[in-house]
Amino acid sequence: MTGHDGTMAVPGPKSVEANLWGSTLVFSFLCLLSRVGRASQLFDRVDGITVILYVLGWVGPVLALALCAARRRKPWNGAVVPVAVHAASGLLYGVGIGWE
């Protein structure tokens, strides 16, 4: 991204933190794809991939929370949305559909 004076802007810590929070949605989508692929038998050997993707989805928010704690400030207000979606997808897969 360029500024008004034509110089390149370096992403600040807030954008890195926001991307860490938002990375959870990517893993939620990958979990969904792995479940759909397994249900439609597109994949033969995807036994534990959904669980692995779900656990990896929590790495970003944990790192972002650690950054907030290190900087002694409150987490980003919009962080609750991706975390809630990921937690809901975990409940959906774990209770409703069943983990593999």
Side-chain angles (χ1 to χ4, degrees):
M1 296 180 24
T2 59
H4 292 289
D5 57 356
T7 59
M8 293 295 291
V10 178
K14 286 190 176 188
S15 63
V16 171
E17 190 178 310
N19 287 334
L20 283 173
W21 287 113
S23 68
T24 305
L25 293 175
V26 173
F27 284 99
S28 294
F29 182 68
L30 290 174
C31 285
L32 176 68
L33 286 180
S34 71
R35 294 297 298 175
V36 168
R38 180 72 175 173
S40 63
Q41 297 177 350
L42 292 174
F43 311 120
D44 290 334
R45 307 288 274 141
V46 191
D47 293 334
I49 194 75
T50 307
V51 176
I52 293 169
L53 288 171
Y54 182 74
V55 170
L56 286 175
W58 287 109
V59 172
V62 168
L63 287 175
L65 197 59
L67 280 173
C68 288
R71 294 181 182 142
R72 296 182 181 180
R73 65 174 187 199
K74 293 170 66 173
W76 174 55
N77 289 337
V80 72
V81 173
V83 171
V85 167
H86 194 63
S89 70
L91 287 174
L92 178 86
Y93 301 139
V95 177
I97 300 174
W99 292 103
E100 297 171 348

